Amino acid sequence: GAGVSQSPSNKVTEKGKDVELRCDPISGHTALYWYRQSLGQGLEFLIYFQGNSAPDKSGLPSDRFSAERTGGSVSTLTIQRTQQEDSAVYLCASSPNNSPLHFGNGTRLTVT
Amino acid sequence: AQRVTQPEKLLSVFKGAPVELKCNYSYSGSPELFWYVQYSRQRLQLLLRHISRESIKGFTADLNKGETSFHLKKPFAQEEDSAMYYCALWASGGSYIPTFGRGTSLIVHP
């Protein structure tokens, strides 16, 4: 079946602009995660959604970052007033309850 | 707090040599440990988990609670094993947010 889908695959934006990254999880997966992958930094947790519960936002690095998940399915990660240090690969993953994560291909964000 | 340490950023070996990618963790409870792999131009995918106690692509990993380690081993490395490897910890019974190490890049030379 279809895996986790992320769009766009690449995004180049100017410093100060807002960006939206989209994630379509695997159908039926109740948990959805956003991670940031930077060279030498590994995978940095950003935010976690589980069903209809309030999201765990403890990993968001600043208030410029926000995410929502509509109808328990598609999620959008928004970065406002982008900075060069936001450049990274943003990974989305989904899973059934208490199971290993299934990752998307990621969105490579470059802030110029 | 839970923490995963992968001390090696880069591991370079020749084909046929044994390989061990180190992973140490800190967590006071009962953890679940995983290894994920990312081949060039592919998505991050699960390689193995400690509760399965299985061998995948010749790789094994044993959870050593005394040493708080979950090292990934393969007796004879192949060129196709070249990839980025991430160790991850899942706090069983706690937060369902896996903590990942920084990753080790494995390069297997012909």
Side-chain angles (χ1 to χ4, degrees):
Chain A
V4 176
S5 178
Q6 292 187 245
S7 60
S9 54
N10 280 285
K11 177 72 177 178
V12 180
T13 190
E14 292 180 354
K15 176 181 172 181
K17 301 283 190 183
D18 298 352
V19 295
E20 281 191 356
L21 312 180
R22 177 187 169 102
C23 173
D24 279 280
I26 294 172
S27 177
H29 282 192
T30 56
L32 187 147
Y33 304 77
W34 283 97
Y35 283 84
R36 181 165 67 178
Q37 184 180 35
S38 307
L39 195 62
Q41 299 298 316
L43 269 70
E44 176 189 7
F45 165 71
L46 297 176
I47 189 168
Y48 162 61
F49 296 90
Q50 174 58 270
N52 295 319
S53 302
D56 183 329
K57 305 179 182 180
S58 60
L60 295 179
S62 79
D63 58 9
R64 295 187 295 105
F65 288 72
S66 62
E68 60 179 24
R69 188 179 185 191
T70 53
S73 181
V74 172
S75 177
T76 302
L77 177 68
T78 301
I79 308 173
Q80 296 178 310
R81 305 182 301 283
T82 52
Q83 303 295 313
Q84 288 187 331
E85 60 263 28
D86 300 335
S87 296
V89 176
Y90 289 82
L91 294 175
C92 177
S94 69
S95 81
N97 272 339
N98 306 345
S99 296
L101 275 56
H102 298 255
F103 283 88
N105 281 322
T107 294
R108 180 175 298 278
L109 175 66
T110 304
V111 182
T112 61
Chain B
Q2 56 210 51
R3 187 181 181 93
V4 176
T5 302
Q6 293 181 250
E8 303 138 330
K9 285 187 179 179
L10 174 67
L11 190 60
S12 182
V13 301
F14 286 99
K15 176 183 173 181
V19 64
E20 179 179 70
L21 290 87
K22 291 185 167 50
C23 173
N24 289 89
Y25 67 91
S26 63
Y27 177 59
S28 56
S30 180
E32 278 197 56
L33 276 297
F34 305 82
W35 276 99
Y36 283 80
V37 61
Q38 189 170 29
Y39 301 103
S40 180
R41 302 182 188 279
Q42 295 187 27
R43 65 184 65 196
L44 197 60
Q45 58 187 288
L46 178 69
L47 179 62
L48 54 80
R49 56 193 300 190
H50 88 271
I51 62 172
S52 300
R53 300 189 64 81
E54 56 192 345
S55 174
I56 304 293
K57 299 185 179 183
F59 285 97
T60 59
D62 291 318
L63 178 60
N64 186 323
K65 291 189 177 181
E67 296 183 357
T68 60
S69 68
F70 188 57
H71 303 327
L72 184 68
K73 301 176 184 179
K74 184 168 182 176
F76 308 105
Q78 303 299 314
E79 290 177 70
E80 56 265 31
D81 296 329
S82 296
M84 194 74 179
Y85 291 81
Y86 292 93
C87 182
L89 178 152
W90 191 305
S92 180
S95 162
Y96 298 121
I97 300 171
T99 298
F100 286 81
R102 292 193 172 189
T104 297
S105 176
L106 174 65
I107 299 175
V108 181
H109 300 282

